[in-house]
Amino acid sequence: QVQLVESGGGLVQAGGSLRLSCAASGITFSTYAMGWFRQAPGKEREFVASINLSGNSKHYADSVKGRFAISRDNAKNTVYLQMNSLKPEDTAVYYCAAGARGSAQSMAIRTCPYCAYWGQGTQVTVSS
C-alpha cells in the first residue's frame, strides 16, 4: 500500500519559517520525482516545487522562488519543503506528490498529469 504522509504544518506569523516533510512508503522512492502542491480555500490547487530523482534539478513556482527550498533524502524516503519568509498568502493545505516521470519539470504543472500518488495534506496557516 502506497502512503505519502505529510507533517510539519502549523500556525506561524508572517516572516516566520516552517519545514514540511513527506515520508513515503510502498514505493521505490528513488525512482519517483517528488513535488509539493498547495490549495487555499476557494482556490484551485497550484504547483509549489518539484525535485528530480537525484535531487540535482528543482523547479519552483514564481511565487515561492527565493523563499522556499525543496530537498529529498532517498535513504529516508522523505522529501522536504523548507519555507522561509512566509506570507499570509502562503496559507493553504500543502500536499506532496510522487511523479511517475523522473524529471522535476514534468511535475511543474497545476494538474500534474504524471503525479501517481498524493498525500493527505498538511495545513499551513500564516498570520499577519
Side-chain angles (χ1 to χ4, degrees):
Q1 181 181 359
V2 177
Q3 282 192 309
L4 300 179
V5 180
E6 301 95 337
S7 61
L11 174 64
V12 64
Q13 288 188 331
S17 298
L18 283 174
R19 188 195 195 202
L20 305 184
S21 300
C22 172
S25 61
I27 59 172
T28 303
F29 183 76
S30 60
T31 66
Y32 287 83
M34 297 298 295
W36 288 94
F37 295 76
R38 66 187 182 186
Q39 186 166 19
K43 295 187 177 181
E44 292 185 324
R45 182 181 65 202
E46 64 174 350
F47 166 77
V48 176
S50 59
I51 189 168
N52 71 339
L53 304 185
S54 64
N56 63 359
S57 177
K58 304 171 186 180
H59 281 262
Y60 295 95
D62 287 344
S63 58
V64 306
K65 279 181 182 176
R67 301 187 298 122
F68 290 12
I70 189 171
S71 61
R72 66 187 296 161
D73 185 336
N74 288 344
K76 295 183 178 180
N77 290 357
T78 301
V79 62
Y80 305 96
L81 185 68
Q82 178 66 44
M83 306 186 295
N84 300 325
S85 302
L86 283 160
K87 304 175 181 179
E89 50 264 44
D90 294 318
T91 294
V93 177
Y94 283 71
Y95 300 90
C96 73
R101 291 196 173 184
S103 72
Q105 186 175 8
S106 68
M107 298 190 72
I109 306 169
R110 181 185 64 81
T111 56
C112 200
Y114 303 115
C115 285
Y117 304 105
W118 293 85
Q120 293 298 309
T122 185
Q123 175 71 46
V124 171
T125 303
V126 184
S127 63
S128 57

